Amino acid sequence: MVLKNGIALYMEILGLLSFKRVYSNPPESEFNQVRRLISFVLLCFSLQANAEHFNAASDIWSPFIMATEESYSGIGVDILNEVVKRTGDTVSIQLAPNKRAMKMFEVGEADFMILDSPLWNDPEMSDQMVFSDDVMSIQEYIYFLKSSFIEVKTPSDLNGQTVNILRGYYYPLFEEAFSNGSIVKNEVGSEPSLIETLVRGRVAAIFMDSIAFQYTTSKFKYETNQFQRGLQLSNTKLGIKIRADKAYVLPRFNQAIKAMKQDGTIDRIIQKYTE
């Protein structure tokens, strides 16, 4: 289709150039139209030449990556789909538990992880991956029920308490306390389950990013005034994680991301799921 459209536009250009030869002083608008058409044709041929199909993996992470019986949606899904649309590439998405998704990436079954951060990955594995320019940032916090709020300045302030986190997540500030048992850590599989354990009083606190917390409490109609946010755990920039052997896509992906930031596309995608 791209090639066919490019040929049609090329024939149109030839017609405009013929128009230019007929008139000694053709209107300036005609020259501008020719330039635009030439640029578009070159872009079409470039996309056709470079276009590839990729596989992406992720765990469900509302509202970033979500699934229904018919389709995938979410902030990360929409951003990735728009990136490949602009580069002329295509992508298939497969959802899997976080550890399985990471294994798929490691063995080459997945070329991308939809949204990720270098901070969330083992530094010893850094030679196996590259990251696109950041597309957004998230902030993670400790959340409590307001009736049992604990002011936390250091991990020791939670000694003897039980906290829940999402399965596979890593919090450097608290890892020593988790390892030595001074804070009991449980891992759960989804954001709704995480919040439910807090509401039911099964844990003292949960660790969660603010966008996911806002989305989930709104979706399940929790009274937000029953919660209180505590210590900020992170301020993390997110990008598309790409296998090192696919690093050659970075220039065109980053160009698309830059344009999406400039024209407001990324902001509109985020607002779609948070307002």
Side-chain angles (χ1 to χ4, degrees):
M1 180 62 72
V2 172
L3 183 59
K4 181 179 178 181
N5 291 343
I7 292 172
L9 285 170
Y10 179 70
M11 297 303 294
E12 186 175 345
I13 290 171
L14 291 180
L16 287 171
L17 290 176
S18 297
F19 175 91
K20 178 175 181 288
R21 286 194 293 271
V22 171
Y23 294 93
S24 58
N25 294 300
E28 180 65 26
S29 62
E30 296 297 339
F31 287 116
N32 291 336
Q33 189 175 359
V34 169
R35 284 195 292 268
R36 288 195 298 271
L37 287 169
I38 290 174
S39 297
F40 186 77
V41 169
L42 291 175
L43 175 62
C44 287
F45 280 116
S46 174
L47 293 179
Q48 181 73 12
N50 294 326
E52 291 185 66
H53 182 79
F54 298 104
N55 296 307
S58 177
D59 197 353
I60 291 177
W61 176 23
S62 302
F64 302 94
I65 298 100
M66 301 181 291
T68 65
E69 292 182 359
E70 299 179 353
S71 63
Y72 300 119
S73 64
I75 295 171
V77 172
D78 289 3
I79 288 174
L80 178 59
N81 283 335
E82 181 65 22
V83 168
V84 298
K85 176 182 175 182
R86 295 189 184 210
T87 62
D89 298 301
T90 56
V91 65
S92 296
I93 295 172
Q94 183 173 343
L95 298 185
N98 192 51
K99 290 184 179 179
R100 170 61 182 152
M102 291 190 292
K103 186 65 176 180
M104 291 171 62
F105 182 86
E106 181 182 336
V107 301
E109 294 177 8
D111 304 302
F112 310 143
M113 296 287 280
I114 296 176
L115 282 181
D116 207 330
S117 168
L119 297 177
W120 297 347
N121 288 268
D122 186 343
E124 295 184 0
M125 307 285 284
S126 61
D127 61 340
Q128 298 182 18
M129 66 193 74
V130 294
F131 285 84
S132 73
D133 289 345
D134 62 280
V135 298
M136 63 180 299
S137 63
I138 61 168
Q139 295 75 43
E140 294 173 288
Y141 295 89
I142 305 176
Y143 288 92
F144 301 87
L145 291 177
K146 185 175 291 186
S147 59
S148 53
F149 177 75
I150 300 171
E151 185 174 1
V152 177
K153 295 182 179 179
T154 68
S156 62
D157 293 323
L158 283 177
N159 281 354
Q161 302 293 337
T162 299
V163 303
N164 279 4
I165 69 171
L166 287 172
R167 186 171 293 115
Y169 279 50
Y170 178 78
Y171 295 96
L173 179 63
F174 283 83
E175 288 307 310
E176 182 178 352
F178 293 157
S179 297
N180 64 30
S182 57
I183 301 173
V184 177
K185 176 192 73 174
N186 297 318
E187 299 187 16
V188 300
S190 69
E191 290 82 1
S193 297
L194 194 63
I195 293 175
E196 183 180 8
T197 61
L198 180 62
V199 170
R200 291 181 178 274
R202 296 174 182 169
V203 294
I206 59 174
F207 293 6
M208 195 170 182
D209 78 80
S210 58
I211 293 177
F213 183 85
Q214 176 185 345
Y215 174 84
T216 307
T217 53
S218 175
K219 180 179 179 180
F220 290 92
K221 303 186 185 308
Y222 285 109
E223 294 291 336
T224 55
N225 60 8
Q226 68 182 304
F227 303 106
Q228 187 164 342
R229 192 168 74 182
L231 179 71
Q232 182 172 337
L233 299 166
S234 70
N235 182 17
T236 307
K237 294 181 178 180
L238 303 179
I240 301 167
K241 184 167 78 172
I242 301 167
R243 279 182 54 85
D245 58 2
K246 305 292 184 182
Y248 56 83
V249 307
L250 277 175
R252 64 182 189 255
F253 273 42
N254 286 340
Q255 184 178 8
I257 290 168
K258 180 179 179 181
M260 290 166 64
K261 290 179 178 178
Q262 291 175 340
D263 65 24
T265 297
I266 290 178
D267 287 338
R268 287 192 294 274
I269 289 173
I270 295 172
Q271 290 166 4
K272 174 182 173 182
Y273 292 96
T274 56
E275 293 187 349

